[in-house]
Amino acid sequence: MLVVFGGLPGVGKSTIARELVRRCQAAYLRIDAIEQAIRDSKVLAADIGPAGYMVAYSLARSNLELGRMVVAGCVNPLPITRAAWQSVAREVGVALVEVEVICSDANEHRRRVEGRIGDIDGLALPTWSSVTRHDYVRWTSDHLIIDTALLSPQSAVDAVVDAMDRVRSASLH
């Protein structure tokens, strides 16, 4: 199974994804870590474009083909990035659960963004201004929405696991 988290920076994607990975023993692909590694290589130090996503799609495919569950965490801001994840799942023949993480409380979201402590060496964290200007297109595909203003991280993981179970059950019938 492929589980893809998307949402603006600071909404809680990484917190939820890491806990899901621990619970399910999945491979974890975090776009921020991949993109920073690419920047650190000094090959594409400035605008790395789609390189991080392309690496993640390939790593997801490789792990899925080995029978591993994969959890990917990324902003996943555009229909083209979402379609690419869908394509990976379809090509490998695995179920896909798409999760959009939001924080409906703008003040709380801002507090999180402004209070974040980085956990990836060298990664410049986004400012609130950059988050509010982020190119992020509304989702149109069927997906799970998790509002971290309303759910604890543990409750959010429980909701994702429930969605995974529903997808598994549907694929058996």
Side-chain angles (χ1 to χ4, degrees):
M1 178 174 286
L2 174 59
V3 180
V4 180
F5 286 89
L8 289 170
V11 294
K13 298 179 304 292
S14 296
T15 300
I16 299 165
R18 279 193 294 263
E19 185 54 38
L20 180 65
V21 165
R22 281 187 203 87
R23 188 185 292 189
C24 298
Q25 298 297 302
Y28 181 35
L29 304 177
R30 185 174 173 194
I31 295 292
D32 285 346
I34 293 169
E35 289 179 341
Q36 189 57 45
I38 292 169
R39 283 186 206 94
D40 290 346
S41 76
K42 308 278 190 244
V43 174
L44 300 172
D47 179 14
I48 64 170
Y53 277 82
M54 299 303 290
V55 168
Y57 303 144
S58 181
L59 291 171
R61 185 176 288 108
S62 296
N63 278 278
L64 292 165
E65 287 171 345
L66 291 171
R68 298 277 306 176
M69 179 181 160
V70 173
V71 173
C74 50
V75 175
N76 207 14
L78 303 170
I80 192 168
T81 61
R82 298 174 200 142
W85 288 115
Q86 293 163 3
S87 179
V88 168
R90 187 174 48 256
E91 289 168 10
V92 179
V94 299
L96 171 66
V97 175
E98 295 177 287
V99 183
E100 181 181 22
V101 182
I102 65 169
C103 182
S104 61
D105 181 336
N107 291 327
E108 174 62 14
H109 187 189
R110 182 176 187 160
R111 185 193 66 74
R112 291 177 189 174
V113 168
E114 292 176 344
R116 282 173 78 177
I117 297 172
D119 63 344
I120 300 172
D121 287 342
L123 180 65
L125 295 174
T127 64
W128 178 245
S129 177
S130 69
V131 169
T132 59
R133 288 182 283 114
H134 205 294
D135 189 13
Y136 191 84
V137 177
R138 183 178 173 89
W139 292 43
T140 57
S141 62
D142 187 28
H143 67 287
L144 174 64
I145 299 173
I146 298 288
D147 187 346
T148 59
L150 305 175
L151 293 176
S152 70
Q154 191 59 50
S155 295
V157 171
D158 291 343
V160 174
V161 169
D162 288 346
M164 292 164 56
D165 289 343
R166 284 191 303 276
V167 167
R168 275 192 201 102
S169 293
S171 67
L172 295 175
H173 295 100

